[in-house]
Amino acid sequence: MLFGYFDDENREYVITRPDTPLPWINYLGCQAYFGIISNTAGGYSFYRDARLRRLTRYRYNNVPHDFGGRYIYLRDDESGEFWSPSWQPTRHDLEDYACRHGMGYTIIGSRYSGIAAHTNYFVPLDENLEIWQLSITNQRSKRASLSVFSSIEFCLWDAQDDATNFQRNFSIGQVEIEDGVIYHKTEYRERRDHFAYFACSGKVEAFDTQREAFVGAYRSWDKPVALERAGLANSVAHGWAPIGAHQVKAELAPGETRQIIFVLGYHENPRDQKFDPPDSQTLNKKTVKPVIAKYLDSAHAGAAFERLHQYWDGLLGICQVETPDVHTNRMVNIWNAYQCMATFNMSRSASFYESGIGRGLGFRDSNQDLLGFVHMVPARARERILDLAATQLPTGGAYHQYQPLTKRGNNEVGSNFNDDPHWLILGVAAYLKETADRSILDEPVPYDNEPGSEQPLYEHLRRSFQYTLDRLGPHGLPLIGRADWNDCLNLNCFSDTPGQSFQTTTNKDGKVAESVFIAGLFVLAGKELAAIARERGRNDEAEGYLAEVAKMEDTVRKYGWDGDWFLRAYDDFGRKVGSKECGEGKIFIETQGFCVLAGIGLDDGMAAKSMESVRKHLATEHGIILQQPAYSKYYLELGEISSYPPGYKENAGIFCHNNPWVMIAETRLGNGDRAHDYYTRINPSAREGISEAHRCEPYVYAQMIAGPDAPTHGEAKNSWLTGTAAWNYYAITQWILGIRTSYERLQISPVIPKSWRGFKATRTFRGVTYHITVEQEGEGNHVSLKVDGMPIKGDTVPPPADGRKEVSVKGTLT
Ligand code: GLC
Ligand code: GLC
């Protein structure tokens, strides 16, 4: 069964029934103010940090699953009947329900009892607020007397504290109401200089700010007592749970349409101008009032929406493709790029599966996210790289996470994930290849944010590389530390205490357990670092890095190869992990994908063998599973991976993040058919037809799809915030379609399915737009290029010498 359809022209997914298998969400905002919104208007908002500046409250894992959000109610004041046009929270049977999730906005609407209503929710660019533009039409043949109610529940800022510290929080809530605008100012009287507000363009008949007055005791949002009364009670919250609710009357003639705008926002005042008058406790509203007035005006709101549209036109326009496969086109041109923006902004902090209170921005994750983002807003990628590098430690190691508000490393999680430092090299390499902005390498960046410790970014990269050389194990392979890319392969943890964190508990010194994965990563990062050194004219250094890379490749061949595939690791007893010799967990995906994409074994048959083994032992119709056979019991020496029931997550789930490594590996072997076939297996658009089984959104990748060992093989979980977004985007655009950035030029080196006659693409790169046509004329992957009609040598396109901004490139594959 389908729950909606793709409207590619408008770049929307249109959900046509509200009872999707799981909440299907979208993100509002892409700079500093953010919101999550589900297809029934559930969700919440925050400023910069989902934990520390939460504006509205949300109860995760609720019943129903998604309850609480940006709810609007309509009441027929004659009959007293009320409903919500977004279905939740009242869940009336609606006609013509549709939720259009688009680029930075969501429009939810329906018809009930002759009243059509839809709300466009979005965050204007460069503002810290969201707009709800509601439009109501009376389709009845007679007048309609309606009341419109808005509702949100304020969070007392720190979402973690808000959900736990009730003995304090029930006494601290404070609001002010002026001209119908509800200001939430809890803790403003002391150390905060920010507040939230909720305003409405209609004439506010009445309001409520105390939750109980609106909802009523022993009731919930589906049947608020306030909607059964004549109107809202003008309650002023003091303590308990502050909310914002407005009531506006709408008298509509037949056919008449009325628009009402609600604005929910965040505002900061200078510390010395918090109050007005200065010696009072009243909020200074001087600078916020003009902002509110501006966006309550429909002309400004409309212009802001138009600007948002143009912004996305620009971002998505940088890379557009036209292939014979609709699922490829739609993901590359719209949804995958869009998801890359979300992962860049959120890292793994706030989704329906990440509560926004647990995880800051991950060092490893954020660097990988750049692969799919850097072409869109390079300036923000640059800033992110410098922020990440500033949390690096003098050893070259890195804090595993940092909090976006403070930009400091997170001490609770700490360091010693021995793969972390190398991702910085890959992030910087991606940035340099996109922009050619070498100045970033000279930027002075501190270690651990310590003033005075600044060194050029380039030096940070050298230390990243050295970090592994300083930590080699008995076979000369990198020591694994707490974990490598696979957070759940915890070879030094040995945890037998319930509730201990597998990632941060270290019960062993860690001088034995080695990671073949980090070896592959080291090889790739080392090659990039050598190229970067050359860019700086440091050829000797480059030679040195390449010598270490060659040595590591040898070590992998010698101690990291199991006969038919790459080993995964050695455990603390020096025993193999991911080998034929193992009872369970004989073969892992990570080392197959990564070693081959790093170029190991391409010329001696190992790579081809490894890929055959993946196909034979790991590939399923729903994607490639992480390892086989699944661990059937808990292994003290392996850690969290064996804590999951078979088929889920890292224990033989389809961990989509590393599927693209295999796709890239297949392109390196010239197998376009296989690469694209693997791509299609996890492509959410291609899986739309099995939405009931897949269950997550058909427009974005999920972190995991249950593997064949699970009873629900094919069911996705944890959508949106996953490295899958960046890696798939990178794999399809740069390796399968082969439009690849390099230090010098744009390279065109496609490895596509044999059934394709070719494809077209436009790619703007360093200010020049390349109009690319590729035609397949033979069986191979050899490409011949014509640039503006003239044949050129090789597969890289020289930028136009005469400053032209448009270039046509024709590629022929033979
Ligand atoms: C999660 C983490 C990521 C890790 C992966 C595998 O997606 O965010 O850092 O690499 O799991 O364990
Ligand atoms: C769990 C998850 C893993 C994630 C980690 C983050 O171990 O299985 O995917 O990376 O938590 O802390």
Side-chain angles (χ1 to χ4, degrees):
M1 183 166 75
L2 292 176
F3 295 84
Y5 60 92
F6 285 92
D7 178 347
D8 292 335
E9 197 159 322
N10 288 308
R11 299 190 304 232
E12 292 172 339
Y13 191 81
V14 188
I15 301 165
T16 48
R17 44 184 300 165
D19 55 343
T20 47
L22 289 164
W24 284 4
I25 72 160
N26 193 11
Y27 286 89
L28 306 177
C30 56
Q31 292 163 316
Y33 184 102
F34 298 103
I36 287 176
I37 185 162
S38 73
N39 55 305
T40 57
Y44 60 95
S45 301
F46 59 94
Y47 172 74
R48 285 194 194 278
D49 187 313
R51 169 166 171 190
L52 298 176
R53 292 287 154 86
R54 189 75 70 97
L55 264 78
T56 56
R57 183 171 287 155
Y58 191 77
R59 292 171 192 80
Y60 276 96
N61 200 1
N62 213 335
V63 185
H65 196 129
D66 167 32
F67 207 57
R70 301 172 182 83
Y71 293 145
I72 286 172
Y73 303 82
L74 299 181
R75 187 180 66 194
D76 187 325
D77 284 338
E78 275 159 22
S79 68
E81 197 184 13
F82 64 88
W83 69 97
S84 344
S86 58
W87 194 57
Q88 290 250 59
T90 65
R91 294 190 295 278
H92 277 69
D93 280 333
L94 303 170
E95 295 162 47
D96 292 342
Y97 160 90
C99 165
R100 295 182 161 265
H101 283 318
M103 304 289 105
Y105 67 89
T106 287
I107 303 172
I108 310 176
S110 59
R111 191 153 43 108
Y112 186 76
S113 156
I115 306 295
H118 62 259
T119 313
N120 182 6
Y121 299 91
F122 68 98
V123 174
L125 289 171
D126 305 321
E127 296 288 4
N128 296 322
L129 56 89
E130 65 188 66
I131 293 177
W132 312 359
Q133 218 171 355
L134 166 71
S135 146
I136 319 166
T137 305
N138 177 11
Q139 297 180 346
R140 296 174 183 169
S141 53
K142 56 181 182 42
R143 277 190 87 70
S145 304
L146 306 172
S147 275
V148 180
F149 300 86
S150 64
S151 69
I152 48 129
E153 185 170 355
F154 290 110
C155 178
L156 307 180
W157 304 114
D158 179 339
Q160 164 104 338
D161 187 76
D162 179 74
T164 46
N165 193 7
F166 308 112
Q167 58 79 24
R168 178 172 198 269
N169 293 341
F170 283 163
S171 294
I172 63 172
Q174 287 194 304
V175 295
E176 269 178 44
I177 302 106
E178 193 181 314
D179 301 332
V181 183
I182 295 162
Y183 296 89
H184 174 231
K185 60 168 194 174
T186 300
E187 289 189 344
Y188 189 80
R189 63 196 303 284
E190 27 130 346
R191 291 155 297 174
R192 293 190 186 274
D193 52 11
H194 45 265
F195 56 89
Y197 56 87
F198 190 34
C200 164
S201 70
K203 176 170 172 277
V204 177
E205 210 64 34
F207 60 85
D208 264 319
T209 65
Q210 186 64 278
R211 190 179 69 211
E212 213 176 37
F214 183 79
V215 171
Y218 293 96
R219 286 178 180 244
S220 183
W221 300 100
D222 56 343
K223 252 181 149 209
V225 71
L227 274 91
E228 291 174 10
R229 282 195 309 250
L232 298 187
N234 292 335
S235 60
V236 179
H238 210 266
W240 296 114
I243 63 159
H246 306 96
Q247 179 183 2
V248 175
K249 296 250 183 214
E251 286 285 329
L252 298 180
E256 188 182 342
T257 295
R258 169 95 188 265
Q259 229 195 59
I260 301 173
I261 294 175
F262 298 93
V263 176
L264 170 66
Y266 168 92
H267 195 74
E268 284 174 5
N269 273 336
R271 290 223 151 227
D272 56 350
Q273 291 165 41
K274 280 173 57 167
F275 302 106
D276 181 27
D279 56 356
S280 76
Q281 289 290 300
T282 311
L283 280 179
N284 176 357
K285 308 184 185 82
K286 283 201 183 89
T287 52
V288 75
K289 278 186 172 171
V291 181
I292 297 175
K294 179 171 175 190
Y295 289 103
L296 289 181
D297 178 316
S298 69
H300 281 293
F305 187 60
E306 190 44 43
R307 228 185 117 211
L308 184 65
H309 248 303
Q310 285 164 3
Y311 179 70
W312 276 103
D313 277 344
L315 291 185
L316 299 179
I318 296 167
C319 179
Q320 288 286 300
V321 303
E322 211 185 305
T323 77
D325 176 39
V326 63
H327 306 298
T328 301
N329 300 346
R330 158 184 298 158
M331 289 311 286
V332 172
N333 296 341
I334 306 169
W335 290 101
N336 195 351
Y338 184 63
Q339 188 179 0
C340 287
M341 172 67 90
T343 57
F344 174 84
N345 283 324
M346 301 286 132
S347 188
R348 308 296 172 264
S349 70
S351 71
F352 264 79
Y353 309 86
E354 302 278 11
S355 64
I357 58 180
R359 300 169 79 177
L361 271 77
F363 193 91
R364 168 204 296 145
D365 293 336
S366 292
N367 274 303
Q368 290 172 81
D369 291 343
L370 293 173
L371 289 176
F373 175 79
V374 63
H375 67 289
M376 288 196 276
V377 196
R380 291 186 70 201
R382 188 182 205 275
E383 185 191 352
R384 175 64 53 79
I385 286 170
L386 297 175
D387 287 348
L388 285 165
T391 64
Q392 195 177 21
L393 299 163
T395 56
Y399 277 105
H400 196 49
Q401 296 177 357
Y402 81 92
Q403 291 299 335
L405 208 58
T406 59
K407 297 193 171 177
R408 294 265 161 173
N410 181 350
N411 259 323
E412 279 165 39
V413 180
S415 172
N416 294 335
F417 294 77
N418 283 352
D419 62 318
D420 269 338
H422 294 293
W423 299 111
L424 181 66
I425 302 178
L426 298 191
V428 172
Y431 175 78
L432 289 172
K433 289 181 194 176
E434 181 66 40
T435 62
D437 167 22
R438 296 187 185 118
S439 73
I440 194 173
L441 296 168
D442 297 315
E443 284 286 344
V445 182
Y447 291 97
D448 196 6
N449 283 293
E450 227 17 86
S453 66
E454 289 81 0
Q455 296 258 314
L457 178 65
Y458 179 70
E459 178 59 27
H460 282 251
L461 304 186
R462 296 181 44 170
R463 290 199 194 181
S464 290
F465 189 72
Q466 188 60 37
Y467 180 84
T468 289
L469 292 175
D470 293 343
R471 286 166 186 75
L472 296 177
H475 298 92
L477 291 163
L479 291 172
I480 196 168
R482 282 175 163 172
D484 59 24
W485 172 88
N486 190 331
D487 272 334
C488 297
L489 193 61
N490 317 115
L491 304 180
N492 294 307
C493 181
F494 287 84
S495 176
D496 56 9
T497 307
Q500 256 181 358
S501 157
F502 287 103
Q503 271 94 52
T504 56
T505 307
T506 307
N507 289 324
K508 286 272 170 143
D509 231 7
K511 295 280 188 288
V512 178
E514 298 169 296
S515 162
V516 180
F517 173 79
I518 300 181
L521 179 60
F522 175 91
V523 166
L524 184 68
K527 288 177 183 172
E528 295 293 3
L529 185 58
I532 293 171
R534 286 223 175 84
E535 287 280 291
R536 287 177 79 72
R538 301 196 183 182
N539 289 329
D540 289 354
E541 278 178 33
E543 291 310 316
Y545 300 137
L546 291 179
E548 294 296 350
V549 163
K551 212 159 125 197
M552 188 64 81
E553 290 198 24
D554 275 349
T555 309
V556 170
R557 286 202 184 87
K558 217 154 146 196
Y559 299 113
W561 180 249
D562 198 50
D564 287 311
W565 56 76
F566 292 99
L567 278 179
R568 179 61 179 83
Y570 287 92
D571 71 13
D572 185 57
F573 307 105
R575 294 180 314 211
K576 294 174 183 170
V577 178
S579 156
K580 289 192 190 71
E581 294 167 19
C582 304
E584 304 188 317
K586 290 174 193 282
I587 171 169
F588 281 66
I589 188 174
E590 298 102 307
T591 38
Q592 317 318 321
F594 223 89
C595 289
V596 178
L597 90 77
I600 306 174
L602 287 175
D603 44 13
D604 57 13
M606 277 184 183
K609 257 195 184 164
S610 149
M611 287 302 107
E612 271 314 308
S613 300
V614 166
R615 204 178 64 89
K616 196 154 144 212
H617 302 291
L618 299 178
T620 79
E621 59 176 318
H622 297 292
I624 310 168
I625 46 182
L626 196 140
Q627 107 277 15
Q628 257 321 273
Y631 294 114
S632 61
K633 57 177 202 222
Y634 178 57
Y635 292 86
L636 188 66
E637 70 279 18
L638 298 179
E640 186 169 9
I641 189 165
S642 58
S643 76
Y644 285 113
Y648 293 122
K649 296 278 286 185
E650 283 86 343
N651 189 14
I654 295 154
F655 214 92
C656 298
H657 186 145
N658 42 36
N659 278 227
W661 301 347
V662 174
M663 296 167 203
I664 299 172
E666 288 288 7
T667 65
R668 296 217 61 178
L669 289 163
N671 296 327
D673 279 323
R674 275 207 205 160
H676 194 264
D677 173 34
Y678 288 146
Y679 174 73
T680 304
R681 294 185 201 198
I682 62 166
N683 183 328
S685 162
R687 297 172 62 77
E688 189 195 19
I690 55 161
S691 284
E692 262 174 306
H694 181 81
R695 300 189 80 221
C696 281
E697 296 92 334
Y699 42 90
V700 288
Y701 291 102
Q703 182 203 52
M704 189 217 39
I705 298 173
D709 296 291
T712 55
H713 183 33
E715 178 188 42
K717 275 183 205 158
N718 196 3
S719 53
W720 280 97
L721 302 184
T722 160
T724 313
W727 276 104
N728 260 317
Y729 188 83
Y730 178 66
I732 183 73
T733 57
Q734 301 221 16
W735 292 90
I736 299 178
L737 301 178
I739 305 169
R740 197 173 314 147
T741 60
S742 75
Y743 292 95
E744 290 295 314
R745 300 163 167 190
L746 195 63
Q747 186 180 358
I748 314 287
S749 183
V751 182
I752 53 177
K754 289 295 155 237
S755 59
W756 288 12
R757 295 193 53 197
F759 68 91
K760 285 188 183 157
T762 27
R763 174 66 154 90
T764 303
F765 175 68
R766 301 184 190 171
V768 176
T769 301
Y770 296 86
H771 300 275
I772 304 161
T773 312
V774 171
E775 278 171 16
Q776 188 152 237
E777 288 183 359
E779 288 297 293
N781 299 301
H782 176 80
V783 67
S784 319
L785 295 182
K786 278 189 186 162
V787 177
D788 289 326
M790 298 293 289
I792 61 156
K793 277 214 180 102
D795 62 1
T796 65
V797 188
D802 54 6
R804 269 173 313 125
K805 295 285 174 228
E806 310 266 327
V807 172
S808 107
V809 182
K810 181 150 185 275
T812 309
L813 291 174
T814 50

